[in-house]
Amino acid sequence: MRPNIAYCGLDCEQCDAYIATLHDDQALREKTAKLWAALNHAPILPEHINCQGCRADGAKTVFCEQLCAVRRCARQRGAATCGDCPEMESCPTVGAIFANAPQAKKNLIG
């Protein structure tokens, strides 16, 4: 599995926060902060848009670092990803991600 596949199976390389960090793209940080703030009804600022990948060492967005229930669970269980968890198929938390991004599940099992 590629190292930039998140615990939930999402591809960090497709994430605007990751891309903005990788390329130090301030315009993309600003665009992403504006979009995420509107979607989440939260004060997300461009300086919050820094991430080097869910499972990588280094910077994370506030959501990924502190709020993501999937990431927190996988780390508590010592799982490399949700694909290593015997409860993945019945898990409502990661199931919500799969419902919105079916490719995430394929990344974990394929």
Side-chain angles (χ1 to χ4, degrees), residues 38-97:
L39 290 172
N40 294 289
H41 308 288
I44 298 173
L45 304 173
E47 55 265 28
H48 299 147
I49 307 300
N50 288 293
C51 190
Q52 294 174 310
C54 179
R55 296 186 303 134
D57 291 334
K60 307 275 178 283
T61 66
V62 172
F63 176 81
C64 294
E65 181 71 36
Q66 299 175 11
L67 303 173
C68 179
V70 171
R71 184 174 187 273
R72 183 174 36 250
C73 177
R75 290 173 57 89
Q76 286 172 346
R77 291 174 179 248
T81 69
C82 291
D84 294 335
C85 180
E87 298 173 32
M88 182 183 81
E89 293 294 336
S90 62
C91 177
T93 306
V94 77
I97 292 171

Side-chain angles (χ1 to χ4, degrees), residues 15-26 28-29 32 46-53 58-61:
C15 175
D16 286 340
Y18 177 84
I19 295 167
T21 303
L22 183 67
H23 299 289
D24 195 20
D25 186 334
Q26 188 61 25
L28 182 56
R29 279 189 184 98
T32 303
E47 55 265 28
H48 299 147
I49 307 300
N50 288 293
C51 190
Q52 294 174 310
K60 307 275 178 283
T61 66

